[in-house]
């Protein structure tokens, strides 16, 4: 046995945790310290410990901090969902927005908002405020329905990875078109709030958003140790993984359901932030190389880093009219996707 | 440890690939499955591994219907090596063998000294430990096949189902793997079923042979009995004869190559 290699990996593993924490801390700190309103670092620290001017405190504590934290959590959701989908479909291009899960969530939220407007204030068709508490759960229903369609296609007709993805793309496009049609047909004067959400945005995300999303994060991440080994095994042919003792269908379904819940709940809070679920697992795999066990931790860390830094770029670059994170990830993600495609070819 | 089935039939869609197949594995013995391409060897092995559901009949593992057992229960008793297994791109030889311990470690338990010992033994005995850290995709066909055999061994099952375990191996490794299979059965009491194309290897290593033709079992007996009739000639549509090379050793099938005999006629 190659004992030397094993020992090297152990030594590396000891360095991983500090590097992981360091990297995410830097990204989070940058996002809190920097912003459109220029607040000196000393004042930021003062605000964080509850001192300093009321204005600085309100900007840091009420606006920046919750926004950064929501971004961090949402980044983890999308990245892990993408990692799971890529593993179980054995397709490197799988991702919540490619497989139609984000679109399912979007449509569910759209329908829900439409109805809630009419129920809450009949007569008017404006939407003053999103009913936050409901959004993640409603989105999850939509995401799970899309997931069910994927499941039916995977087992009902025994589709291979590529055709499965194409079906996912078709389902997603259809759901997206319906959602857009619905919102356009609604013709409300105040759909900006909705449009912003649709492009994937962290604008004005508050402690409330975090509060309603966090339970899903906690439950989802608590499931990870349970699906870690099945995720590796689901990448074999089912005849191999079943011979190794895995209940293929059961674990495929569980993993798919988890991916749907994570991605959809994040969509409910921040809208569909595209490409994060696609790119982050690839970056993680690239950095981890042979060290299989590290791909998942890297995925978590990079999910945080990519979304928080992406949002920072969007905030700073746009000035007063900031660029939504979903647009930033699309702009950076598309070329990265092309690079990936070339590397795979 | 017992594995048996009676009168199972397997359908792929409308087409029947296996007709009323009977099988019983003797503990600690080696059972060979031979037959032409498409005769149903892999289908029979997959059915015995509980991977495809028979249209009729049932497979019994340790006296229980295999369909009532969980995959993990099955995997602790029986390891199956498909004919052309594929693995995730970046997986290494050693990682593959580790995956095979899943039936024992389950979702959460860590790998103990016993697991590590078995993995090391499996890698060692198939001659892959020198490149245990290399990716499966970077290996030659034969090296990869040995890596998969080592995974099947690491699974620590009392029954091994191997679908053409030697098809990509050079003659040296063919002998080594067949030797290993023989030792497993004799020293450790492992029962083995394997599909194999080389009739002479089958005859010399197997305790019992099943011959399939077009999905039907046409022979199921000791190897010597196969030499006593001309089934091999008719089923494979070849000419040849069984000869005894050294007294007491198993008979050897000497195939007549058509081109040679044609050439002989020309001169
Ligand atoms: N997945 C499948 N779908 C449809 N038909 C199949 C499938 N697998 C095998 N068959 C058919 O079933 C029959 C038996 O195939 P099987 O793979 O069992 O043959 P085999 O004896 O293992 O052949 P080989 O020596 O080439 O490995 C063949 O006619 C084959 O075409
Ligand atoms: Mg076969």
């Amino acid at each position: 046995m190659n004992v030397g290699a094993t020992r090297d990996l152990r030594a590396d593993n000891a360095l991983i945790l500090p590097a992981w924490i360091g990297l995410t801390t830097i990204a989070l700190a940058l996002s809190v310290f920097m912003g459109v309103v220029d607040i000196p670092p000393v004042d930021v620290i003062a605000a964080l410990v509850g001192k300093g001017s009321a204005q600085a405190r309100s900007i840091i504590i009420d606006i920046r901090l919750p926004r950064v934290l929501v971004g961090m959590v949402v980044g983890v959701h999308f990245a892990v969902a993408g990692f799971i989908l890529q593993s179980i479909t054995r397709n490197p291009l799988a991702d919540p927005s490619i497989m139609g899960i984000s679109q399912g969530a979007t449509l569910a939220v759209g329908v829900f908002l439409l109805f809630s407007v009419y129920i809450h204030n009949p007569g008017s068709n404006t939407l003053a405020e999103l009913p936050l508490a409901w959004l993640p759960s409603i989105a999850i229903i939509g995401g799970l329905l899309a997931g069910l369609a994927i499941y039916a296609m995977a087992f009902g007709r025994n589709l291979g990875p590529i055709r499965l993805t194409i079906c996912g793309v078709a389902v997603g496009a259809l759901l997206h078109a319906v959602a857009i049609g619905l919102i356009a047909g609604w013709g409300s004067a105040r759909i900006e709030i909705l449009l912003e959400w649709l492009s994937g945005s962290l604008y004005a995300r508050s402690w409330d958003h975090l509060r309603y999303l966090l339970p899903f994060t906690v439950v989802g991440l608590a499931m990870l140790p349970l699906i870690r080994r099945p995720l590796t095994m689901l990448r074999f042919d089912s005849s191999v993984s079943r011979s190794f003792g895995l209940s293929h269908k059961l674990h495929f379904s569980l993993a798919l359901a988890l991916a749907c819940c994570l991605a959809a709940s994040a969509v409910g809070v921040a809208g569909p932030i595209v490409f994060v679920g696609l790119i982050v697992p690839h970056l993680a795999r690239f950095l981890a190389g042979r060290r299989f066990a590290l791909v998942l931790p890297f995925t978590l860390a990079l999910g945080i880093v990519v979304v928080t830094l992406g949002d920072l770029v969007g905030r700073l670059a746009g000035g007063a009219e900031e660029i939504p994170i979903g647009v930033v990830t699309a702009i950076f993600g598309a070329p990265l996707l092309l690079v990936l495609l070339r590397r795979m070819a | 440890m017992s594995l048996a089935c009676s009168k199972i039939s397997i359908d792929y869609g409308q087409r029947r690939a296996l007709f009323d197949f009977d099988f019983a594995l003797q503990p600690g013995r080696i059972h060979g499955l031979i037959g032409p391409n498409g005769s149903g060897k892999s289908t029979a092995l997959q059915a015995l591994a509980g991977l495809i559901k028979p249209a009729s009949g049932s497979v019994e593992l340790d006296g229980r219907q295999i369909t009532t057992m969980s995959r993990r229960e099955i995997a602790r008793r029986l390891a199956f090596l498909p004919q052309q297994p594929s693995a995730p791109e970046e997986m290494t030889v050693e990682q593959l063998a580790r995956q095979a311990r899943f039936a024992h470690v389950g979702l959460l338990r860590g790998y103990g000294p016993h697991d590590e010992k078995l993995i090391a033994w499996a890698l060692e005995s198939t001659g892959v430990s020198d490149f245990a850290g290399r990716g499966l995709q970077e290996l030659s066909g034969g090296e990869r096949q040995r890596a998969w055999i080592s995974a099947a061994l690491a699974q620590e099952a009392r029954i091994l189902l191997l679908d053409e375990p030697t098809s990509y191996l050079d003659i040296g490794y063919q002998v080594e793997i067949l030797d290993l299979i023989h030792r497993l059965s004799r020293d450790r009491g492992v029962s083995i079923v394997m599909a194999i194309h080389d009739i002479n290897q089958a005859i010399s290593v197997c305790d019992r042979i099943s011959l399939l033709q077009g999905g039907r079992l046409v022979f199921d007996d000791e190897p010597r009995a196969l030499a006593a009739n001309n089934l091999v000639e008719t089923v494979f549509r070849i000419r040849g004869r069984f000869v005894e090379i050294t007294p007491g050793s198993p008979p050897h099938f000497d195939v007549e190559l058509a081109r040679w005999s044609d050439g002989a006629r020309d001169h």
Side-chain angles (χ1 to χ4, degrees):
Chain A
M1 275 198 56
N2 200 340
V3 183
T6 317
R7 200 180 310 122
D8 283 352
L9 288 186
R10 297 249 164 77
D12 277 7
N13 285 347
L15 287 176
I16 294 301
L17 193 65
W20 193 101
I21 294 172
L23 192 66
T24 49
T25 313
I26 290 171
L28 292 174
L30 276 178
S31 301
V32 174
F33 278 91
M34 296 170 73
V36 180
V37 183
D38 205 357
I39 301 173
V42 195
D43 293 353
V44 174
I45 292 169
L48 283 175
V49 295
K51 300 205 185 73
S53 72
Q55 194 213 6
R57 266 213 310 271
S58 125
I59 289 179
I60 299 297
I61 303 291
D62 299 336
I63 298 176
R64 261 190 222 168
L65 201 53
R67 173 180 189 148
V68 169
L69 291 178
V70 169
M72 163 178 157
V73 171
V74 161
V76 167
H77 278 225
F78 282 119
V80 173
F83 175 75
I84 294 174
L85 289 175
Q86 287 172 14
S87 303
I88 66 173
T89 62
R90 295 194 277 158
N91 182 341
L93 293 181
D95 153 280
S97 44
I98 285 175
M99 305 296 297
I101 295 167
S102 296
Q103 288 83 342
T106 306
L107 180 58
V109 170
V111 170
F112 171 73
L113 291 181
L114 185 59
F115 280 107
S116 67
V117 167
Y118 284 121
I119 291 166
H120 282 301
N121 26 343
S124 103
N125 59 352
T126 62
L127 183 61
E129 161 176 46
L130 296 171
L132 283 187
W134 288 91
L135 291 187
S137 325
I138 296 294
I140 281 179
I141 295 174
L144 280 177
L145 285 177
L148 206 63
I150 298 175
Y151 182 88
M153 286 188 276
F155 287 107
R157 296 199 268 140
N158 224 343
L159 294 186
I162 294 299
R163 285 205 283 163
L164 183 64
T165 312
I166 293 172
C167 286
V169 170
V171 168
L174 182 73
L175 294 176
H176 186 69
V178 175
I180 293 292
L182 192 77
I183 291 160
W186 186 9
S188 149
R190 286 208 47 173
I191 55 169
E192 284 149 67
I193 189 167
L194 206 61
L195 282 181
E196 194 137 43
W197 174 79
L198 260 184
S199 62
S201 172
L202 289 171
Y203 176 72
R205 294 307 185 264
S206 64
W207 290 108
D208 274 347
H209 288 88
L210 190 64
R211 185 151 59 93
Y212 295 124
L213 183 57
L214 217 47
F216 297 102
T217 319
V218 171
V219 174
L221 295 189
M223 296 273 291
L224 283 185
L226 281 177
I227 68 162
R228 192 171 54 97
R229 282 181 187 155
L231 275 190
T232 309
M233 298 185 72
L234 283 167
R235 299 180 61 214
F236 289 102
D237 285 341
S238 70
S239 65
V240 174
S241 61
R242 292 173 70 208
S243 303
F244 282 165
L246 188 80
S247 306
H248 189 90
K249 264 190 192 183
L250 173 73
H251 285 283
F252 183 97
S253 326
L254 284 179
L256 178 62
L258 180 59
C260 290
C261 289
L262 283 173
S265 56
V267 168
V269 164
I273 301 178
V274 292
F275 282 124
V276 174
L278 177 65
I279 302 291
V280 165
H282 283 286
L283 286 176
R285 233 172 267 134
F286 176 74
L287 290 178
R290 277 282 147 63
R291 290 157 302 180
F292 243 49
L294 295 182
V295 178
L296 192 52
F298 279 2
T299 300
L300 287 165
L302 287 169
I304 296 174
V305 171
V306 164
V307 171
T308 43
L309 290 187
D311 187 45
L312 182 63
V313 168
R315 275 192 283 152
L316 296 180
E321 287 295 319
E322 64 175 56
I323 306 171
I325 172 71
V327 177
V328 175
T329 55
I331 290 170
F332 285 100
L336 261 171
L337 175 65
L338 292 181
V339 172
L340 278 176
L341 283 172
R342 283 188 59 160
R343 229 166 51 101
M344 284 189 311
Chain B
M1 287 296 132
S2 73
L3 178 67
C5 67
S6 72
K7 300 234 172 302
I8 55 167
S9 299
I10 304 282
D11 295 338
Y12 290 114
Q14 301 291 318
R15 263 217 340 279
R16 179 149 291 193
L18 203 61
F19 300 82
D20 297 333
F21 179 70
D22 286 318
F23 179 88
L25 182 60
Q26 264 115 46
R29 298 282 137 182
I30 305 174
H31 196 132
L33 287 182
I34 61 173
N37 290 145
S39 58
K41 303 180 294 297
S42 301
T43 304
L45 283 174
Q46 279 169 275
L48 288 171
L51 292 172
I52 30 183
K53 228 176 144 233
S56 65
S58 68
V59 176
E60 291 202 348
L61 175 59
D62 288 348
R64 287 169 63 193
Q65 287 214 4
I66 206 162
T67 44
T68 65
M69 301 170 78
S70 76
R71 285 313 315 179
R72 235 181 117 187
E73 280 180 298
I74 297 171
R76 277 197 290 256
R77 295 170 169 81
L78 177 154
F80 169 60
L81 175 59
Q83 188 167 353
Q84 281 178 327
S86 74
E89 254 174 57
E90 67 285 10
M91 186 165 277
T92 67
V93 175
E94 190 198 334
Q95 280 161 349
L96 177 66
R98 302 187 83 81
Q99 301 304 315
R101 295 297 300 166
F102 177 76
H104 302 277
V105 296
L107 295 177
L108 292 171
R109 187 168 78 70
Y111 287 71
H114 177 68
D115 301 294
E116 301 293 349
K117 210 181 79 196
L118 252 143
I119 292 166
W121 167 77
L123 296 172
E124 194 66 51
S125 52
T126 47
V128 296
S129 32
D130 285 343
F131 46 87
R134 271 170 59 192
L136 288 164
Q137 307 289 329
E138 307 165 15
L139 303 181
S140 78
E143 290 169 336
R144 198 177 307 143
Q145 188 160 34
R146 277 148 53 206
W148 278 100
I149 296 172
S150 84
L153 294 183
Q155 201 172 321
E156 201 188 1
R158 307 291 298 157
I159 299 173
L160 274 181
L161 307 184
L162 306 170
D163 200 345
E164 299 187 23
T166 56
S167 53
Y168 286 101
L169 304 184
D170 68 51
I171 185 76
Y173 274 113
Q174 284 181 22
V175 171
E176 191 156 312
I177 292 299
L178 290 176
D179 226 41
L180 173 66
I181 288 170
H182 196 258
R183 272 184 284 124
L184 284 173
S185 87
R186 295 307 182 264
D187 303 347
R188 299 186 177 232
V190 175
S191 319
I192 290 137
V193 191
M194 64 173 166
I196 185 167
H197 275 302
D198 189 308
I199 289 167
N200 287 317
Q201 288 179 353
I203 287 175
S204 61
V205 73
C206 296
D207 299 299
R208 196 175 179 93
I209 287 180
S210 292
L211 173 60
L212 283 160
Q213 181 182 27
R216 291 173 208 276
L217 192 61
V218 294
F219 173 90
D220 179 14
D221 205 341
E222 296 196 340
R224 271 177 194 284
L226 193 61
N229 58 45
N230 63 351
L231 268 173
V232 169
E233 281 183 292
T234 55
V235 168
F236 290 96
R237 284 182 291 162
I238 47 170
R239 302 250 307 271
R241 64 204 170 98
F242 282 97
V243 292
E244 194 163 340
I245 292 176
T246 45
S249 74
H252 180 93
F253 185 75
D254 190 30
V255 67
E256 211 174 90
L257 295 171
R259 215 174 285 150
W260 280 11
S261 46
D262 283 357
R265 225 177 15 240
D266 286 349
H267 288 279

